[in-house]
Amino acid sequence: FQQILSRAFVAADVDGVSGNKLGSAKASHDRYVVLARAAVSAGDQVEAENLYQHAEHYCRLMRQGIDGHSVLVNGSEGSN
């Protein structure tokens, strides 16, 4: 599974999903979805669920109109 996970990180970087270290909420969401799909492909349902929950967090941020960068800088979701 670790090899698949590594390839998913590389694929996300190549596709421009990861962007900068902080990134936007959309980039973070997309990256976690890619990783979750890799976990499903590897048969690791527990890791896939964990990664999908992370993706869901960023989906909520996007619905609220909060950028992932501002969350990391300000320290909380509601301080935008």
Side-chain angles (χ1 to χ4, degrees), residues 58-71:
Y58 287 102
C59 186
R60 286 192 304 270
L61 293 179
M62 288 186 293
R63 270 190 254 130
Q64 293 174 4
I66 299 172
D67 184 357
H69 174 74
S70 62
V71 170

Side-chain angles (χ1 to χ4, degrees), residues 5-65:
L5 194 59
S6 295
R7 282 186 288 218
F9 268 112
V10 169
D13 287 340
V14 169
D15 292 339
V17 173
S18 67
N20 59 35
K21 289 273 185 198
L22 295 174
S24 68
K26 179 166 178 21
S28 295
H29 172 268
D30 292 347
R31 168 169 253 178
Y32 280 113
V33 169
V34 167
L35 295 173
R37 288 179 182 159
V40 168
S41 295
D44 190 342
Q45 293 299 323
V46 173
E47 182 65 13
E49 180 62 27
N50 177 37
L51 293 164
Y52 278 129
Q53 287 177 6
H54 280 78
E56 182 183 10
H57 166 73
Y58 287 102
C59 186
R60 286 192 304 270
L61 293 179
M62 288 186 293
R63 270 190 254 130
Q64 293 174 4

Side-chain angles (χ1 to χ4, degrees), residues 61 66 70-80:
L61 293 179
I66 299 172
S70 62
V71 170
L72 291 173
V73 170
N74 296 328
S76 70
E77 293 178 24
S79 63
N80 194 14

